Amino acid sequence: MAKESVAILGGTGEQGLGLAYRFAKAGRAVRIGSRKQERALEAAKEVLAKLPGSDVSGHENAAAVRAVRGGIVILSVPFEHTAGTIKTVRPELAPGTVLVSMGVPLAAAIGDVASRVIGVSQGSCAELCESLAPDGVPVISAFQNVAAHRLLDLDHSVECDVIVSGEKEPRARVMALCDDIPGTRAIDGGPLYNARYVEQLTALMIGINIRLKKPEGVGLRLTYI
């Protein structure tokens, strides 16, 4: 069975680019999106230089979504750009497309430290995305706790569990993405409202990285499963 194509909006940032590398290495078609097409093209060129022959291309955000119509769209942008990005690509989000929120409302968005979160009236960044997504486009929460530096290091596995929350069928589609990233394990996180707890873990982990001087990032493991 062919793997679903993935568009990564904000795929020029470290975490999004890291996912692009991992998915491309696993043989999945990847469309890197950016507000500026030239940045997306440059990121795609970077991936192709490391992984010749992979199915990767760069696009402006809306075109990246259009290229994977009915597939999986991962939103990998800072929290403060979340709403604006969804509004821009909304006309291209066809029914059946799964929108993945990996954003976290870090207090850095308002000039505070990244080891804290700010309140979101919907409850979480993922639930904010759900409020903005068109009908027929489920939102799934995933990948918030996976360190960018670990994803970019293709010579090593990524030792981290990925908690995936949202509706059952699209949740399973997103959990399957973890098979492309050696070392990760998808954990069924239940309904989307659980995203608010997972997002807060990210701020905690950032604080731990700072205190333990781990710029490459710590990972999350749930045991006895």
Side-chain angles (χ1 to χ4, degrees), residues 183-207:
T184 63
R185 177 180 58 169
I187 302 292
D188 186 337
L192 191 64
Y193 66 73
N194 286 331
R196 60 191 70 181
Y197 312 121
V198 179
E199 291 176 12
Q200 292 187 42
L201 279 174
T202 305
L204 174 66
M205 292 169 73
I206 289 172

Side-chain angles (χ1 to χ4, degrees), residues 18-189:
L19 287 175
Y21 274 123
R22 294 291 179 164
F23 295 147
K25 187 176 182 181
R28 191 179 295 273
V30 179
R31 306 295 168 240
I32 296 175
S34 175
R35 286 179 293 172
K36 296 182 178 179
Q37 185 180 15
E38 58 268 28
R39 291 186 62 198
L41 290 169
E42 189 59 40
K45 194 184 298 183
E46 224 179 289
V47 176
L48 288 167
K50 278 194 177 182
L51 302 169
S54 55
D55 188 357
V56 180
S57 56
H59 309 263
E60 182 273 327
N61 280 331
V65 174
R66 195 159 51 244
V68 300
R69 187 176 179 84
I72 297 174
V73 175
I74 298 176
L75 196 57
S76 178
V77 298
F79 173 70
E80 58 267 32
H81 298 308
T82 298
T85 301
I86 294 176
K87 288 173 183 176
T88 299
V89 304
R90 196 177 191 278
E92 306 298 339
L93 289 168
T97 302
V98 175
L99 181 62
V100 179
S101 169
M102 54 188 291
V104 176
L106 297 174
I110 58 169
D112 200 350
V113 296
S115 55
R116 297 175 185 160
V117 294
I118 55 176
V120 181
S121 60
Q122 292 83 356
S124 65
C125 179
E127 289 163 290
L128 167 65
C129 293
E130 183 181 47
S131 74
L132 297 170
D135 291 342
V137 176
V139 172
I140 300 296
S141 164
F143 298 115
Q144 296 94 337
N145 306 138
V146 185
H149 289 219
R150 304 293 186 186
L151 289 169
L152 289 164
D153 183 3
L154 295 180
D155 294 328
H156 296 89
S157 60
V158 181
E159 299 303 322
C160 188
D161 287 341
V162 178
I163 301 174
V164 185
S165 304
E167 295 175 22
K168 186 175 181 180
E169 188 273 334
R171 182 171 71 221
R173 289 167 64 183
V174 174
M175 290 177 73
L177 296 178
C178 292
D179 294 339
D180 289 354
I181 308 174
T184 63
R185 177 180 58 169
I187 302 292
D188 186 337

